[in-house]
């Protein structure tokens, strides 16, 4: 996973202005930056015009996360290798957080790698070619596809 994180800046550069690639990279960076405990209550929802929208469980989490936003923003941009995110907005959306939790717990109904990869837009697949390591490229595409699959469902 560390190699994937290190490849994010190159991937974003190779993708140019692709919002989808930037959003997937931001989601991956968020999970790494926030860590599992925070991701139980705060999940990335969307990246729009360099604003990362994070769904949070309730007003208490919104307030706590807002207090950490400066540190999180700095760490995210450092991981992405550029100032890809200018602001983090925390929206109260317990339904989105619950869906994300359920997606991570849903091991009784696994999805095949081919199904996950079918959610990858062509421009993301092309941008992923900037990752020279084939195994790492596949892991990135699987992570991106899983993220998009959760977003669709």
């Amino acid at each position: 996973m560390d190699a994937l994180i290190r490849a994010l800046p190159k991937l974003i550069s190779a993708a140019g202005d692709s919002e989808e690639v930037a959003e997937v990279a931001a989601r991956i960076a968020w999970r790494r930056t926030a860590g599992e405990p925070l991701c139980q209550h705060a999940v990335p929802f969307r990246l729009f015009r360099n604003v990362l929208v994070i769904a949070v469980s309730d007003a208490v989490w919104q307030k706590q996360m807002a207090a950490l936003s400066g540190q999180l923003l700095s760490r995210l941009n450092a991981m992405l290798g550029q100032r890809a995110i200018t602001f983090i907005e925390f929206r109260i959306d317990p339904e989105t957080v619950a869906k994300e939790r359920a997606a991570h717990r849903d091991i009784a109904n696994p999805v095949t790698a081919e199904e996950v990869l079918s959610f990858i837009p062509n421009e993301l697949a092309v941008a992923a070619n900037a990752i020279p390591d084939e195994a790492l490229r596949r892991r990135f595409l699987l992570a991106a596809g899983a993220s998009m699959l959760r977003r669709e469902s």
Side-chain angles (χ1 to χ4, degrees):
M1 186 61 132
D2 289 338
L4 174 60
I5 298 300
R6 286 191 303 274
L8 287 177
K10 288 181 184 176
L11 182 68
I12 292 171
S13 292
D17 292 336
S18 172
E19 291 180 19
E20 288 178 324
V21 172
E23 183 169 329
V24 168
R27 286 173 176 268
I28 292 169
W30 173 263
R31 292 204 68 73
R32 182 60 167 258
T33 298
E36 253 340 281
L38 287 182
C39 286
Q40 293 295 312
H41 300 280
V43 298
F45 180 71
R46 184 163 189 224
L47 179 66
F48 182 71
R49 295 185 180 165
N50 297 58
V51 174
L52 182 59
V53 179
I54 303 293
V56 294
S57 304
D58 54 42
V60 173
W61 276 101
Q62 183 183 41
K63 185 175 180 178
Q64 290 177 344
M65 296 303 291
L68 296 172
S69 65
Q71 290 175 340
L72 292 167
L73 185 61
S74 176
R75 290 173 61 197
L76 284 167
N77 283 323
M79 193 174 296
L80 295 170
Q82 57 185 295
R83 194 162 153 76
I85 303 169
T86 56
F87 185 76
I88 304 174
E89 177 183 334
F90 298 98
R91 289 187 188 167
I92 300 171
D93 186 352
E95 185 177 314
T96 296
V97 174
K99 283 181 185 177
E100 184 75 9
R101 281 187 199 159
H104 285 290
R105 283 192 308 256
D106 191 9
I107 55 174
N109 194 7
V111 178
T112 66
E114 288 72 31
E115 289 174 305
V116 170
L117 292 173
S118 72
F119 277 83
I120 302 292
N122 189 41
E123 63 183 7
L124 181 60
V126 169
N129 286 331
I131 302 172
D133 182 319
E134 189 173 326
L136 180 60
R137 182 180 332 115
R138 181 167 172 80
R139 285 196 317 239
F140 168 77
L141 289 171
L142 286 170
S147 177
M148 294 178 144
L149 177 63
R150 282 191 301 274
R151 187 174 171 194
E152 291 290 320
S153 50

